[in-house]
Amino acid sequence: MAKGKIFQTMGREIGVFVALIAVMVVFSAIDEHYFTMANLIDIVDQSTINGLIAIGMTFVIVTGGIDLSVGSVMAIVIVLVGRLLTEQGMDPISATIVGIILGFALGSFNGFLITRLKLQPFIATLGTMSVYRGFAYIITSGWPVLNIPQEFRTMLDGDFFSIFRISILILLIFAFITHILIKSTRFGNYVYAIGSNEEATRLSGVSVDFNKLMTYGLCGVGAALAGMVMLARLGTGEPAAGQGYELNAIAAAAIGGTSLAGGKGTIIGTLLGAFLLSALKVGLVVVGVDAFWQYIATGGIIVVAAYFEVLQNKIKGTH
């Protein structure tokens, strides 16, 4: 009975985990170097930036929304934090806090457009995607921010006891906090309720607008963390950074079982989805497949994940 309940509540996560193992087995059979500790750590490492964005995106999608501006939020945070570090001499901790606050503010502005001006999430974030990107170019006049201090780079992407990068730890901590937030708090219950039936949730006395705005703010925080990890990893801040990352984030969330129609999704599933996407991309590189095929694979995965959701609903409807 207990096993059946676990499978019922975490069936999608278990399915993604099994798929992750299957991908690893297939690529390991093709190339023995794939299934090594160094490569497995590299797979997790490669998923940190996408995973951070996807976790924030999960909150938004669960409410029935979408955020296409996450890549541009990354860009603004990258160039602004980069300039604070290099030109203003700000210490790494303060600069990181500013970056998180900025990400939350930019995400919350998306939420304001959606909740107060009643714009569709797709249209609102499509607009801010362009606006935020423009500001990133204006801040730097189109030039990259160079010579990021080593202290900042070590703090966010240095080695953790020579085992793995600190950015992996940041991803896991962010995943843990947001998992508790969505599963064990009243706010999390409201997020699921809004995605399942927004009008009924509003009539029950819940402040739908406030809670939706907070989800977009959290999405901005995830994008900001991802941007600062990228800044630390590369050592330069490009205003063009983050383009196309919204697609990867949506793919990771969809793979992990987040319903694009809203009302369903978990942080654990999204995290596994990010790992699976990374394992697939690294595997394609290892076996020598052209990197351009990664775009086809990512788009195909979104379609398959969405169709799997349709099939699940049809199966439930027959019972």
Side-chain angles (χ1 to χ4, degrees):
M1 187 73 175
K3 290 182 179 179
K5 189 175 182 180
I6 290 174
F7 188 80
Q8 186 177 4
T9 56
M10 296 190 66
R12 185 60 177 267
E13 289 87 346
I14 293 171
V16 177
F17 181 74
V18 171
L20 177 60
I21 298 300
V23 166
M24 290 183 174
V25 170
V26 170
F27 283 119
S28 297
I30 298 173
D31 190 321
E32 61 181 11
H33 298 294
Y34 183 83
F35 200 77
T36 61
M37 183 56 66
N39 194 58
L40 294 179
I41 292 177
D42 185 54
I43 288 172
V44 177
D45 186 46
Q46 292 294 324
S47 67
T48 52
I49 293 174
N50 185 38
L52 287 166
I53 305 171
I55 287 171
M57 184 75 78
T58 299
F59 282 86
V60 169
I61 297 178
V62 169
T63 64
I66 200 76
D67 189 346
L68 301 178
S69 71
V70 286
S72 298
V73 171
M74 281 180 66
I76 288 189
V77 171
I78 284 172
V79 298
L80 185 62
V81 169
R83 294 193 71 167
L84 288 174
L85 290 165
T86 57
E87 297 181 11
Q88 303 300 320
M90 184 175 286
D91 66 277
I93 294 177
S94 298
T96 301
I97 293 172
V98 170
I100 292 172
I101 293 172
L102 177 61
F104 182 81
L106 294 172
S108 296
F109 182 69
N110 288 334
F112 171 79
L113 295 177
I114 293 161
T115 59
R116 296 300 181 184
L117 301 188
K118 305 303 178 184
L119 297 178
Q120 289 295 322
F122 181 88
I123 298 300
T125 59
L126 182 65
T128 55
M129 177 176 70
S130 182
V131 170
Y132 294 165
R133 180 69 61 184
F135 275 120
Y137 280 109
I138 290 171
I139 291 171
T140 62
S141 298
W143 293 95
V145 181
L146 305 175
N147 302 317
I148 301 301
Q150 188 60 45
E151 293 83 1
F152 177 82
R153 301 186 65 182
T154 302
M155 185 180 77
L156 293 184
D157 201 43
D159 289 332
F160 184 74
F161 293 110
S162 300
I163 303 173
F164 52 78
R165 291 179 183 271
I166 292 175
S167 55
I168 294 177
L169 190 62
I170 293 172
L171 171 65
L172 296 178
I173 292 173
F174 187 55
F176 176 76
I177 293 172
T178 51
H179 172 74
I180 297 299
L181 195 60
I182 200 169
K183 283 295 184 181
S184 305
T185 67
R186 185 175 297 177
F187 167 70
N189 292 332
Y190 291 161
V191 169
Y192 284 115
I194 291 169
S196 298
N197 192 324
E198 182 174 326
E199 189 57 32
T201 305
R202 193 187 306 275
L203 293 174
S204 68
V206 174
S207 178
V208 170
D209 288 353
F210 172 77
N211 286 284
K212 286 179 75 172
L213 187 144
M214 289 299 293
T215 64
Y216 282 91
L218 277 171
C219 189
V221 169
L225 288 171
M228 288 186 286
V229 167
M230 178 180 284
L231 180 65
R233 183 167 298 178
L234 299 179
T236 60
E238 292 277 356
Q243 292 184 353
Y245 275 63
E246 64 282 345
L247 178 64
N248 291 327
I250 294 169
I255 292 167
T258 303
S259 173
L260 298 178
K264 186 169 68 174
T266 65
I267 301 303
I268 295 174
T270 295
L271 192 61
L272 288 171
F275 290 159
L276 178 57
L277 201 59
S278 179
L280 180 62
K281 290 184 175 182
V282 171
L284 292 174
V285 172
V286 168
V287 299
V289 175
D290 196 311
F292 296 133
W293 284 94
Q294 293 179 15
Y295 293 99
I296 296 176
T298 302
I301 285 172
I302 293 177
V303 173
V304 170
Y307 185 65
F308 185 79
E309 192 71 32
V310 172
L311 288 178
Q312 277 190 320
N313 293 333
K314 285 184 178 179
I315 292 172
K316 289 179 180 178
T318 59
H319 293 288

